[in-house]
Amino acid sequence: MRPPLLADALAEQEAAWHRRPLVRRLYNDWFDLIVAHLAPIEGPTVELGSGFAPLKARLPELGARVILPRADSTRPLEAGGLGRAERADHDRLRLSLGVADGSRDLVVEKAILLEAGFDELHGVDWDKGCYMGQELTARTKYRALIKKRLIPVQVQGQLPEPGTIVKLGEQEAGEIRSGRGDLALALLRLEAMDEAAKSGTPLLAGAAQLIPVKPAWARF
């Protein structure tokens, strides 16, 4: 029996997965497509009830991630002394750490992985053979072509809607992605961030002022 292929995606993206010929063939032939970790499930795992938890975290500060059957998802966690939290609590944590949340922050089939920190977050293996997008990803890294980064921003004012353009004076500096309360992620041009810091000119999204906060794990 071959092992299952686990793919972690937003539920609303399931139909799009099944429209892809390769995924559809794998699914129909011998894979159990459940729901891509930023990092592949490699190395040791720990059993947890009827599921398991990979021990190789993409970012330790974000906490552990577990895979459990839906019908038995809370009992093992409660037995381990964990309490229930709201989705908003996790959202604010990942926003403060600058971690993307699927297609809420990454435009499907257009996002550049390295702009979202996939390298630092163990989402790209530079030693593996061919994979879809490998040439573009490698060229982007080795030719230092990264001009934008997805970065946490503190929002002073009303939280802008996703897709709101960020301005530096009259120049377009980036775009707002997901957010909650006074925190958001924004895809910003590195050059614009440097100019804003040096000149004191505010980054604006609508009527809100944005203050970029470089994550401790980021290398740029």
Side-chain angles (χ1 to χ4, degrees):
M1 181 178 179
R2 304 191 183 192
L5 170 68
L6 303 179
D8 175 10
L10 293 175
E12 53 264 36
Q13 292 293 325
E14 183 177 0
W17 277 73
H18 287 277
R19 286 196 296 269
R20 295 177 178 273
L22 175 61
V23 172
R24 187 167 62 246
R25 177 168 59 81
L26 294 176
Y27 182 86
N28 292 336
D29 285 353
W30 45 270
F31 275 112
D32 177 18
L33 182 63
I34 300 179
V35 258
H37 280 268
L38 265 178
I41 301 175
E42 296 177 348
T45 61
V46 59
E47 291 187 5
L48 187 64
S50 301
F52 64 93
L55 296 182
K56 183 180 178 181
R58 51 179 168 173
L59 187 65
E61 293 86 348
L62 196 58
R65 191 162 198 177
V66 300
I67 298 175
L68 294 167
R70 187 183 298 275
D72 189 34
S73 61
T74 59
R75 184 182 56 81
L77 302 177
E78 291 170 348
L82 300 178
R84 185 181 296 274
E86 300 299 324
R87 172 63 186 263
D89 298 324
H90 175 266
D91 227 18
R92 288 188 62 83
L93 175 62
R94 70 154 189 95
L95 288 167
S96 69
L97 294 170
V99 176
D101 185 20
S103 56
R104 295 176 64 196
D105 296 303
L106 308 174
V107 178
V108 177
E109 298 185 356
K110 292 184 178 181
I112 297 176
L113 297 181
L114 302 188
E115 290 181 346
F118 271 51
D119 190 6
E120 298 101 311
L121 293 172
H122 317 294
V124 179
D125 191 325
W126 301 107
D127 298 319
K128 283 188 175 179
C130 295
Y131 56 85
M132 190 174 295
Q134 179 189 27
E135 183 178 346
L136 172 61
T137 303
R139 185 167 64 245
T140 302
K141 175 181 175 68
Y142 295 120
R143 294 186 181 178
L145 298 177
I146 296 297
K147 305 299 182 184
K148 303 176 183 178
R149 287 296 298 248
L150 189 69
I151 188 169
V153 291
Q154 294 178 352
V155 180
Q156 296 183 347
Q158 184 175 351
L159 179 67
E161 291 291 325
T164 301
I165 298 300
V166 179
K167 291 288 196 74
L168 177 66
E170 296 301 317
Q171 300 178 10
E172 187 172 316
E175 182 180 313
I176 290 288
R177 295 297 165 82
S178 67
R180 188 178 291 269
D182 60 351
L183 290 173
L185 291 184
L187 184 65
L188 298 175
R189 291 192 297 109
L190 296 176
E191 185 180 72
M193 283 195 291
D194 288 342
E195 184 178 339
K198 291 175 182 177
S199 67
T201 304
L203 290 164
L204 300 176
Q209 181 173 341
L210 309 180
I211 301 176
V213 182
K214 180 180 176 180
W217 54 263
R219 299 191 300 268
F220 63 86

